[in-house]
Amino acid sequence: MTPRPLSKLQAALAILGAGLALAGLGLGLAQSGEAPLVTLFLALGALTLFRFALPVSLWIDGALCILGAAALIASLPASGTMPGHFWLALFAAWAFAWLFVDELSAAMRQGRVQGTGPALLIPVMFGLALLTVWEIVTRGAAVPPVLLPPPSAIGARLVASLSILQDDFVQTFVKSVLPGYAIGCLAGLFVAILVDRSPFLKAGLMPIGNFMSALPIIGIAPIMVMWFGFDWQSKAAVVVAMTFFPMLVNTVAGLNATSSIERDLMRTYAAGYWQTLFKLRLPAAGPFIFNALKINSTLALIGAIVAEFFGTPIVGMGFRISTGVGRLAIDLVWAEIAVAAVAGSVFYGVIALIERGVTFWHPSVRGGRT
């Protein structure tokens, strides 16, 4: 069998990964007894140089990068920095991971690999590769945990502090983000309809909306704390202030997105303002509205966390991050950041799924479906 042709990038990555493995194998032969798994990975990686004469499956590259990551993590020294051939093995594993993802993407485009599983494998591999490099570099280079703890330490602290993280999540996300997000977005949508109905309000509120969108949150948060107190109400008020104007501006832009021909068609059917609004203009503004909802999903969480820096009960993500940095509990700080990142990503993903169901008619959604 003849080897499958590689692109220029794939050939470069194949040569880079195999060359680094060969160099690491030669450098670590004297210490092969101390890290047999790393030596095995380097030997197998060096053998992939034969891919230019013999066919090599892309799944072999995927298995090699997994083997390299597992071998390095299992062989990391308990103290001190890892030897030079470990670094070469790390770079080789990264090259094989990149090669595998690129080969898998090409195979999916060409129809040689099909299914949802391989499509999900690409982002999963990318995320795991970043976490693996983070783990190996922080432990292998003996980075002080105060500066950057490894993911394993963050995960251990997350599991050990589940009750604290749960209370913080409820205080920040459930009590502050969700009510403030709902009030801010609904108010922005309602006021946008009023602005569209009244040219006077449009001329007066739109410049103020653009101005308020540029206000820094660190200037709004202390004022809201003074007005609404130290509990979740002040954080929800900050979220309302941050989400109201993006929704207002995007909805007004969406309501003006319909063409004159479409509006003339509605008039020929004797449709009034409200009929045109609900049957034409609001559906046409759907992508703009959901764009604001997705933007606000991240702004709301950021606003609530930052607002907690300026006064809160002894619970909340922002409170825990602020006090954790002061007590040098950096692993707890990163655990809070991980919870916030997952919550924000899930929140954004739910809104994106709702958007695909509501605006199924839009070309951007139809074009994204297979």
Side-chain angles (χ1 to χ4, degrees):
M1 295 178 62
T2 58
R4 179 170 45 84
L6 301 176
S7 66
K8 292 182 179 180
L9 175 61
Q10 293 171 358
L13 289 172
I15 295 173
L16 178 63
L20 288 171
L22 185 60
L25 181 64
L27 186 62
L29 279 179
Q31 302 176 354
S32 59
E34 299 179 4
L37 287 177
V38 176
T39 303
L40 174 63
F41 162 70
L42 292 172
L44 293 177
L47 288 176
T48 59
L49 281 173
F50 291 103
R51 77 170 66 239
F52 297 99
L54 300 173
V56 175
S57 171
L58 63 90
W59 302 107
I60 293 180
D61 294 319
L64 270 177
C65 68
I66 295 174
L67 173 63
L72 284 169
I73 292 176
S75 306
L76 284 173
S79 60
T81 59
M82 61 185 185
H85 65 286
F86 276 48
W87 292 104
L88 293 174
L90 174 60
F91 296 141
W94 179 266
F96 285 124
W98 189 352
L99 175 60
F100 168 70
V101 169
D102 193 82
E103 287 179 312
L104 183 58
S105 299
M108 293 176 60
R109 290 193 303 269
Q110 297 167 5
R112 292 185 288 109
V113 176
Q114 297 179 351
T116 306
L120 293 176
L121 187 59
I122 294 176
V124 169
M125 282 288 297
F126 186 81
L128 290 177
L130 289 179
L131 290 176
T132 302
V133 171
W134 182 356
E135 177 79 17
I136 295 172
V137 170
T138 51
R139 291 175 55 189
V143 177
V146 174
L147 297 179
L148 184 63
S152 57
I154 297 171
R157 185 57 182 263
L158 192 152
V159 173
S161 306
L162 280 179
S163 59
I164 296 175
L165 296 173
Q166 179 181 355
D167 293 340
D168 293 341
F169 174 80
V170 171
Q171 175 70 22
T172 302
F173 193 85
V174 178
K175 292 184 177 181
S176 300
V177 172
L178 293 182
Y181 178 85
I183 295 172
C185 291
L186 288 175
L189 179 62
F190 177 73
V191 174
I193 295 175
L194 294 180
V195 166
D196 179 73
R197 184 68 171 162
S198 171
F200 171 75
L201 288 178
K202 186 173 185 179
L205 279 181
M206 293 307 295
I208 297 177
N210 294 325
F211 172 77
M212 292 295 294
S213 299
L215 287 180
I217 183 177
I218 57 174
I220 300 175
I223 298 174
M224 294 300 179
V225 171
M226 293 175 60
W227 287 357
F228 298 98
F230 289 92
D231 208 347
W232 62 268
Q233 293 88 347
S234 59
K235 317 309 176 295
V238 172
V239 174
V240 170
M242 293 192 67
T243 56
F244 174 80
F245 291 104
M247 175 59 75
L248 171 64
V249 173
N250 278 273
T251 304
V252 170
L255 291 174
N256 294 325
T258 54
S259 65
S260 59
I261 296 177
E262 293 170 324
R263 293 192 294 270
D264 289 340
L265 178 62
M266 293 297 293
R267 283 193 288 268
T268 61
Y269 289 116
Y273 173 81
W274 296 107
Q275 288 178 312
T276 304
L277 177 68
F278 287 108
K279 294 184 178 181
L280 172 65
R281 303 184 68 199
L282 272 179
F288 292 84
I289 295 173
F290 276 102
N291 185 49
L293 290 173
K294 291 187 289 186
I295 293 173
N296 286 341
S297 67
T298 56
L299 287 178
L301 186 58
I302 294 172
I305 291 175
V306 173
E308 289 179 346
F309 290 173
F310 296 93
T312 183
I314 54 173
V315 67
M317 292 182 178
F319 166 79
R320 201 70 60 188
I321 291 172
S322 178
T323 57
V325 170
R327 295 186 292 110
L328 297 182
I330 307 301
D331 52 352
L332 180 58
V333 172
W334 277 100
E336 290 283 358
I337 293 173
V339 172
V342 171
S345 299
V346 171
F347 194 18
Y348 184 97
V350 169
I351 296 172
L353 288 176
I354 296 174
E355 179 187 18
R356 291 181 65 87
V358 174
T359 61
F360 59 90
W361 50 268
H362 196 264
S364 63
V365 176
R366 295 201 314 267
R369 292 182 175 176
T370 56

